[in-house]
Amino acid sequence: EVHRRVLLFRVGKPAEDAGTRLDDDDVRRVRHGARGLKLLNPGVTRVLTSPWREASEAGALLAEALDVKAARISTTDALLPVAAAFEIFRVLSSFVGSDEAVLVVGHAGQLDRVLALALTGDRTPVTPTRRGGAALLELDDLPRPSGELSWLLPLKVLGKL
């Protein structure tokens, strides 16, 4: 049985394609959220992002703010908007250290399904994540998607910490 802290962070507007870059407002939002996340000190040791450009750019900004080395940033197809929600749990279970806290940077819809699957066992979203919003999950028994929600914070709250 593997226990892991997983921090979900939703990037900007739903991407239209893999090449969409973060615009200036999105960069500002990511940096704003990153400051709040740093104060919450989730102890992130690894960053996983969707291979789509906006998520990988956001992941790099967040990793820098949270002092995660570039070598600890990875992309995974399990975070593509069309990926099955359970795939990310398989990826998370592949890491050896159960003490790792992993930041997962993904897209609208996909992160909502991942959150729902972890909390209810069903992919039907229970709460929407908003742009720049973050949620901390305490997962257990990976790769089975099961866990508890420690917190869910919109960007407005993260930015005021």
Side-chain angles (χ1 to χ4, degrees), residues 10 43-44 49 52 57 60 63 86 100 117 147 155:
R10 194 192 126 194
V44 172
T49 76
W52 283 20
E57 288 176 356
F86 65 85
E100 281 200 293
L117 193 58
L155 178 63

Side-chain angles (χ1 to χ4, degrees), residues 9-159:
F9 187 90
R10 194 192 126 194
V11 293
K13 301 175 285 295
E16 295 177 12
D17 63 60
T20 301
R21 297 187 63 136
L22 291 177
D23 63 26
D24 290 343
D25 286 339
D26 290 330
V27 169
R28 184 184 51 75
R29 283 184 185 94
V30 170
R31 288 189 171 137
H32 197 61
R35 284 191 298 275
L37 291 177
K38 187 167 178 104
L39 289 172
L40 289 170
N41 190 22
V44 172
T45 55
R46 180 179 301 273
V47 177
L48 289 176
T49 76
S50 160
W52 283 20
R53 192 170 188 167
E54 68 172 355
S56 60
E57 288 176 356
L61 290 169
L62 291 161
E64 181 181 350
L66 298 172
D67 300 321
V68 177
K69 293 178 174 45
R72 308 273 297 166
I73 303 171
S74 306
T75 60
T76 176
D77 289 349
L79 288 170
L80 287 170
V82 296
F86 65 85
E87 288 297 327
I88 190 60
F89 297 98
R90 288 189 186 148
V91 173
L92 290 167
S93 71
S94 69
F95 300 119
V96 177
S98 62
D99 61 342
E100 281 200 293
V102 181
L103 171 61
V104 172
V105 182
H107 309 279
Q110 173 65 348
L111 288 188
D112 297 332
R113 291 187 296 275
V114 167
L115 184 60
L117 193 58
L119 299 178
T120 70
D122 185 49
R123 296 182 319 233
T124 305
V126 292
T127 185
T129 53
R130 304 263 184 236
R131 278 197 303 186
L136 182 64
L137 291 171
E138 302 285 342
L139 299 177
D140 48 53
D141 201 21
L142 286 169
R144 196 177 116 251
S146 173
E148 295 180 6
L149 179 64
S150 293
W151 48 258
L152 173 68
L153 298 173
L155 178 63
K156 284 183 181 181
V157 174
L158 282 174

